[in-house]
Amino acid sequence: MDADALPVVIVTDRELALMNAIKSFLPHATNLLCRFHISKNVLAKCRKMFDDKMWEEFSCSWGLVVLSASLTQYEERLRALKRDFQMFPAALDYVEKNWLIPYKERFVGAWTDKVMYFGNLTSNR
């Protein structure tokens, strides 16, 4: 197969087998994670921990972390998220351990904005 015909950026869900296959068979491709599915996972896991008002605030603050355009902005917004929602350690633990620590480079703007993905950050059609 012509190397120019291979994809440079692939957006997937957090499907580990697929992610491993991409790493093995398309080692030069960047594998981004679908922000829509990440949001759905955070909603499913964390929504029940908050009342309506606090959920809106948490969701907004989390969204700002995801949309951070620089490492400095990411760090500032993450600090604010941790400070403002310290009374919800399970939610913070979930987003940090399941998303930010292992995968931030695959969905946070400070990293994804370094590759040409033409604004496509979802695996939905």
Side-chain angles (χ1 to χ4, degrees):
M1 180 175 238
D2 183 14
D4 292 336
L6 295 174
V8 178
V9 176
I10 301 170
V11 181
T12 66
D13 299 347
R14 187 182 59 180
E15 173 57 47
L16 299 180
L18 178 57
M19 291 169 67
N20 287 332
I22 291 167
K23 188 165 44 171
S24 294
F25 295 103
L26 299 168
H28 299 295
T30 300
N31 179 202
L32 301 180
L33 292 178
C34 175
R35 286 183 181 172
F36 173 78
H37 285 97
I38 293 170
S39 294
K40 297 295 276 181
N41 280 291
V42 171
L43 172 70
K45 187 69 173 178
C46 297
R47 175 63 182 98
K48 60 187 172 240
M49 300 176 199
F50 299 92
D51 64 25
D52 290 343
K53 182 179 184 298
M54 288 304 289
W55 169 251
E56 286 299 318
E57 291 176 19
F58 179 83
S59 182
C60 181
S61 189
W62 166 249
L64 289 174
V65 170
V66 172
L67 294 174
S68 298
S70 68
L71 182 57
T72 302
Q73 190 176 58
Y74 167 77
E75 290 169 347
E76 289 170 359
R77 289 176 173 180
L78 182 57
R79 273 194 303 277
L81 179 77
K82 289 179 179 182
R83 180 194 63 234
D84 296 345
F85 299 96
Q86 62 186 320
M87 65 293 253
F88 301 97
L92 293 173
D93 190 58
Y94 174 75
V95 296
E96 226 175 354
K97 288 185 177 170
N98 289 280
W99 296 106
L100 294 176
I101 292 171
Y103 302 115
K104 67 180 171 277
E105 295 87 357
R106 296 175 186 249
F107 72 96
V108 174
W111 289 272
T112 62
D113 291 349
K114 294 178 182 177
V115 297
M116 190 176 298
Y117 59 87
F118 297 108
N120 188 8
L121 289 168
T122 180
S123 58
N124 290 348
R125 296 189 111 183

